[in-house]
Amino acid sequence: GAVVSQHPSRVICKSGTSVKIECRSLDFQATTMFWYRQFPKQSLMLMATSNEGSKATYEQGVEKDKFLINHASLTLSTLTVTSAHPEDSSFYICSARPLRIGLAGAGPRETQYFGPGTRLLVL
Amino acid sequence: GQNIDQPTEMTATEGAIVQINCTYQTSGFNGLFWYQQHAGEAPTFLSYNVLDGLEEKGRFSSFLSRSKGYSYLLLKELQMKDSASYLCAVFDSNYQLIWGAGTKLIIKP
């Protein structure tokens, strides 16, 4: 239980283009999904928190017009990097927090379950 | 400010035991997580402590002392596949997850 998928796993794009990353909770419904960015040899940096049907809450320093988040359902959130630049190249990881506890092999309700990540390279 | 401290890197031998420490100073406390992250992959959930004491789960155990702002992850019978980064994360009073920078564990044969 508690499986989260991300698509694509890897993307290379030209500077100025937009890239959409999908995050899906496959076997549970998620009240909240989180988007992180991780640079090499650094810890996770929370970018934004999204709740289904409402606007995302962005962390300080994260441009909401550049990183568009849509949380259309309890199992799907998307992150769109608009007008990507080389400095946006990073490892983007989503996580989801279950609506209900009791998932097989899961931790408490507050546990975040991570997708496999998307490696973005902007040329 | 909120702060979580972990050693940057540790080295241990296959078959041995290693303890990874984590100290935290946060505005409130609502639980502590340990995650494992292999290179190039996303983190996976290992353990959660909200009360003082030791939680054992197979080869891995996690300990918490709230009065000391301290936790450790204990890995026994180390295997080469345990080579990874181990992330400590704390829920503060607002249930915001504060992440440590992670401890890179290197296992040698």
Side-chain angles (χ1 to χ4, degrees):
Chain A
V3 179
V4 177
S5 71
Q6 259 182 263
H7 179 79
S9 58
R10 188 181 297 266
V11 59
I12 301 173
C13 68
K14 292 181 179 179
S15 184
T17 60
S18 293
V19 175
K20 180 188 279 189
I21 303 170
E22 288 189 352
C23 177
R24 292 180 186 272
S25 54
L26 297 184
D27 53 359
F28 66 98
Q29 291 180 319
T31 52
T32 307
M33 288 185 169
F34 304 85
W35 286 96
Y36 291 87
R37 183 166 51 181
Q38 188 176 35
F39 293 105
K41 298 185 179 181
Q42 294 187 21
S43 188
L44 298 171
M45 289 173 44
L46 180 65
M47 298 175 67
T49 302
S50 73
N51 292 291
E52 183 262 341
S54 61
K55 289 184 179 180
T57 302
Y58 290 82
E59 294 300 300
Q60 195 171 7
V62 178
E63 299 174 57
K64 62 180 181 181
D65 294 330
K66 180 171 181 62
F67 299 99
L68 302 178
I69 292 173
N70 183 280
H71 195 154
S73 74
L74 285 173
T75 60
L76 173 64
S77 177
T78 60
L79 168 69
T80 302
V81 183
T82 62
S83 187
H85 291 285
E87 58 264 30
D88 298 323
S89 298
S90 187
F91 190 43
Y92 291 86
I93 313 173
C94 74
S95 70
R97 195 159 67 197
L99 178 62
R100 298 181 183 84
I101 59 174
L103 296 174
R109 179 181 175 178
E110 297 82 5
T111 304
Q112 293 181 29
Y113 297 93
F114 286 85
T118 297
R119 199 161 296 281
L120 172 63
L121 176 61
V122 184
L123 302 176
Chain B
Q2 314 218 77
N3 194 50
I4 295 185
D5 289 314
Q6 317 179 224
T8 303
E9 187 173 296
M10 298 182 70
T11 302
T13 305
E14 190 177 15
I17 298 174
V18 70
Q19 177 174 311
I20 303 174
N21 296 325
C22 170
T23 57
Y24 61 90
Q25 299 95 37
T26 56
S27 56
F29 177 84
N30 278 305
L32 184 146
F33 292 87
W34 283 97
Y35 281 84
Q36 180 190 59
Q37 185 177 24
H38 285 100
E41 299 181 13
T44 55
F45 168 75
L46 285 180
S47 68
Y48 172 73
N49 294 69
V50 67
L51 299 176
D52 290 350
L54 187 68
E55 295 275 344
E56 297 186 73
K57 193 185 290 187
R59 294 190 298 115
F60 293 5
S61 303
S62 56
F63 171 83
L64 174 67
S65 168
R66 288 171 297 171
S67 62
K68 295 181 179 178
Y70 167 70
S71 172
Y72 67 72
L73 181 69
L74 189 72
L75 292 76
K76 302 177 184 176
E77 301 170 18
L78 286 170
Q79 301 175 10
M80 297 304 292
K81 67 178 182 179
D82 297 329
S83 293
S85 287
Y86 292 85
L87 307 175
C88 173
V90 172
F91 263 137
D92 68 8
S93 56
N94 296 317
Y95 280 95
Q96 181 171 353
L97 201 55
I98 312 299
W99 291 90
T103 298
K104 182 179 180 180
L105 177 63
I106 299 169
I107 310 296
K108 295 186 174 180

